[in-house]
Amino acid sequence: MANHKSSLKRIRQDKKKAEHNHYYAKTMRNAVRKLRAMTNKEEAADLYPKVQKMLDKLAKTNIIHKNKAANLKSSLAQHISKLG
């Protein structure tokens, strides 16, 4: 257990930040799942910009890696283009 006030505060801050990051990462994963499950091309194309914006924001704030965001955006765009 930590002995200094500053280390106790850092533990509190880290826990709060981890909860925050977990929420947004989980929300992003659910949005990606929802988009991948879509079979209608128009609906998927409408949702894609929102998911893309979410991925960019999470990459900018280092919640996910920028390459992961790029890979997800690319795979989702491919998925949408394959829909009939």
Side-chain angles (χ1 to χ4, degrees):
M1 187 62 200
N3 292 322
H4 293 79
K5 274 187 172 183
S6 61
S7 55
L8 291 171
K9 182 177 180 180
R10 176 58 60 193
I11 290 169
R12 288 195 309 270
Q13 288 175 335
D14 288 344
K15 185 177 178 185
K16 188 174 182 180
K17 198 172 291 186
E19 269 184 46
H20 177 267
N21 291 347
H22 178 74
Y23 169 78
Y24 283 102
K26 184 68 172 178
T27 304
M28 177 269 303
R29 283 196 300 273
N30 288 337
V32 168
R33 280 191 201 113
K34 183 178 177 184
L35 186 60
R36 282 204 177 116
M38 288 186 170
T39 54
N40 187 351
K41 189 170 188 168
E42 290 79 28
E43 288 178 14
D46 288 340
L47 183 63
Y48 180 68
K50 294 172 186 157
V51 174
Q52 189 176 14
K53 184 177 178 182
M54 187 185 305
L55 289 168
D56 288 336
K57 281 185 177 181
L58 293 178
K60 188 172 104 177
T61 55
N62 291 322
I63 294 174
I64 62 172
H65 196 273
K66 64 178 184 170
N67 290 350
K68 181 181 177 73
N71 290 336
L72 284 171
K73 289 191 295 186
S74 173
S75 67
L76 289 173
Q78 282 181 344
H79 172 71
I80 291 170
S81 69
K82 287 179 184 176
L83 292 176

